[in-house]
Amino acid sequence: MLRFFRLIRQRLIEEGQIRKYLLYAIGEILLVMIGILLALQVNNWNEERKRAIEEQQILFGLEELCLVNQRELDVTYQRNLNAYQSSLKLMELVRPESSIQNTTYIDSLIAIFLTPQSFDPSSGALEDLLNSGKLGILSDKKLRDQVSSWSGAINDVEDDDKLAFDYLFSQFIPFLIRHTNFKNTDRFSKNHVNIKNRLPVPSSNFPSDYSKLMTSREFENYLYTHAYNMDFVLLSNEKMKDYLDETLELIQKNIDNND
């Protein structure tokens, strides 16, 4: 093809048709430029197509991640709500002259408020996205900003969880061990913690007497502090739920827009 064009140019020069030669040369240059531009356009189109496919793969991965974490958070929130409510119920029974005779009911309430749950999110796909430097593939700036705030959202939940669980295990449970038949709460705990093939723990051989406990201001203060901590845990759970809902909405909006 190049040899053919060269022959045409030589013939025009030999025939002295300089004007036609110049016009032909300009046309040839334009033709080459158009070819280059077309090649660049095709290459850009291919790159954009690859980017769009990769973005969809990322979006589907993030969507699944949000759905898994929503289910996990629903279970966590319900467990924490049960723990909070049982603390309030037990607090109502503590008074200067308590006549509580149903120790089994007290054991059941203690068992429930001893089984809150920390939120343990799945973050594989999201951490991979942040660490790979591919966050910019997401075309929606609002979604990029939302994904970027993942660590901050999780840290808020973890901070409240740590405060509540540190208090529960380092202070409240040692108090209960000294003042209750702690072993008797185990039969109720299995109703709230799903453990397969769990062998039943026999009841305590010591008689239950909660008369002093249920008239104790100290016990009331422990219950209040635990309920106070669980209130903050529930609040952080609710904020995390809002974050996941908003993130999922943005993800699904972009999936629909790119289908």
Side-chain angles (χ1 to χ4, degrees):
M1 180 66 71
L2 291 176
R3 186 171 179 275
F4 173 75
F5 288 138
R6 191 181 302 114
L7 290 174
I8 294 176
R9 290 198 301 271
Q10 289 177 352
R11 190 187 69 182
L12 291 173
I13 292 173
E14 290 172 356
E15 294 177 355
Q17 301 183 44
I18 303 301
R19 178 183 174 82
K20 289 185 178 180
Y21 170 78
L22 291 174
L23 291 174
Y24 175 82
I26 292 172
E28 187 177 343
I29 292 171
L30 290 175
L31 184 62
V32 172
M33 291 178 64
I34 291 171
I36 292 173
L37 291 174
L38 286 175
L40 289 173
Q41 184 62 34
V42 170
N43 183 65
N44 290 338
W45 181 83
N46 284 332
E47 291 299 321
E48 180 61 24
R49 180 172 172 275
K50 291 178 183 179
R51 189 206 64 78
I53 292 173
E54 187 172 9
E55 180 181 17
Q56 287 301 296
Q57 292 172 342
I58 291 173
L59 288 170
F60 283 121
L62 292 177
E63 180 186 39
E64 178 61 26
L65 184 74
C66 284
L67 292 172
V68 169
N69 284 326
Q70 281 182 328
R71 291 192 291 268
E72 175 67 18
L73 186 58
D74 286 343
V75 174
T76 298
Y77 182 83
Q78 189 58 55
R79 286 274 296 277
N80 291 335
L81 181 62
N82 291 341
Y84 173 73
Q85 291 175 338
S86 67
S87 299
L88 297 182
K89 290 177 182 178
L90 196 50
M91 209 185 320
E92 291 176 356
L93 301 176
V94 179
R95 57 194 64 185
E97 295 180 0
S98 179
S99 58
I100 299 297
Q101 301 296 327
N102 191 347
T103 58
T104 301
Y105 179 59
I106 296 174
D107 287 335
S108 69
L109 291 178
I110 293 174
I112 296 172
F113 77 62
L114 287 177
T115 54
Q117 179 172 303
S118 60
F119 180 50
D120 184 21
S122 300
S123 57
L126 197 146
E127 292 292 346
D128 289 344
L129 176 62
L130 294 174
N131 294 332
S132 66
K134 293 184 177 182
L135 185 61
I137 291 177
L138 299 178
S139 55
D140 188 335
K141 182 181 183 303
K142 190 173 182 180
L143 177 57
R144 291 199 304 270
D145 293 341
Q146 187 79 358
V147 171
S148 297
S149 62
W150 166 260
S151 296
I154 292 300
N155 288 339
D156 289 344
V157 176
E158 290 178 345
D159 288 344
D160 288 324
D161 283 352
K162 185 178 187 305
L163 180 64
F165 279 86
D166 283 352
Y167 171 79
L168 179 63
F169 285 99
S170 67
Q171 298 186 52
F172 201 0
I173 287 180
F175 171 84
L176 292 172
I177 290 174
R178 293 193 302 271
H179 295 89
T180 68
N181 282 348
F182 204 58
K183 187 179 179 183
N184 288 344
T185 66
D186 184 82
R187 55 181 163 162
F188 300 103
S189 296
K190 65 184 178 181
N191 294 326
H192 304 281
V193 181
N194 185 22
I195 303 176
K196 293 182 179 180
N197 302 320
R198 187 178 190 275
L199 296 177
V201 176
S203 299
S204 172
N205 294 321
F206 295 91
S208 295
D209 182 5
Y210 291 150
S211 56
K212 290 183 178 180
L213 180 69
M214 299 307 293
T215 58
S216 168
R217 179 179 296 173
E218 184 180 13
F219 183 44
E220 182 184 58
N221 289 336
Y222 271 112
L223 283 169
Y224 169 75
T225 306
H226 180 59
Y228 183 79
N229 289 337
M230 292 309 302
D231 194 20
F232 276 97
V233 169
L234 288 170
L235 181 60
S236 66
N237 287 167
E238 290 167 1
K239 288 181 178 179
M240 190 65 199
K241 182 180 184 303
D242 290 341
Y243 172 83
L244 289 173
D245 290 346
E246 292 169 4
T247 305
L248 184 60
E249 183 180 356
L250 286 171
I251 290 169
Q252 292 176 337
K253 177 182 176 182
N254 279 271
I255 289 176
D256 291 338
N257 286 344
N258 287 297
D259 278 346

